[in-house]
Amino acid sequence: MADLPTGKEEVSEPLQPQLCVKCCEFFGNAASMNMCSKCYRDYTKNEADSTKQAKAIRSSLFGDVCTPETSERPIVKEQEKPE
């Protein structure tokens, strides 16, 4: 409990369970953006699918352009030093 400048202690209310923000059938969790586990799993799956779709569209528009996700460091052979 933190001391306030007035000398009174601040009392925090216990967190009340909140229903899922998507389906309102189950309780949500702050770690999963206040969604129940089912809705959060569906949300993350949809996010992954949309990321794959965006990469496919980018690839079809620009071809095999080197992007940070797909690039690898090229192997550079050291040149022989003359003796």
Side-chain angles (χ1 to χ4, degrees), residues 4-78:
L4 298 176
T6 60
K8 295 181 182 179
E9 292 183 359
E10 180 181 342
V11 178
S12 61
E13 294 292 322
L15 296 176
Q16 299 295 322
Q18 294 184 356
L19 291 175
C20 173
V21 295
K22 288 224 171 203
C23 71
C24 298
E25 293 179 17
F26 302 103
F27 290 107
N29 184 335
S32 59
M33 300 187 313
N34 294 324
M35 290 183 240
C36 65
S37 60
K38 180 189 176 297
C39 290
Y40 186 71
R41 183 175 46 246
D42 293 344
Y43 169 78
T44 55
K45 182 181 181 299
N46 289 339
E47 287 292 309
D49 289 345
S50 65
T51 301
K52 287 180 185 177
Q53 289 174 352
K55 286 182 182 179
I57 291 170
R58 188 179 313 123
S59 175
S60 68
L61 290 175
F62 302 110
D64 292 331
V65 176
C66 185
T67 62
E69 297 90 23
T70 62
S71 66
E72 294 181 12
R73 289 189 92 175
I75 299 173
V76 179
K77 294 182 181 179
E78 292 185 27

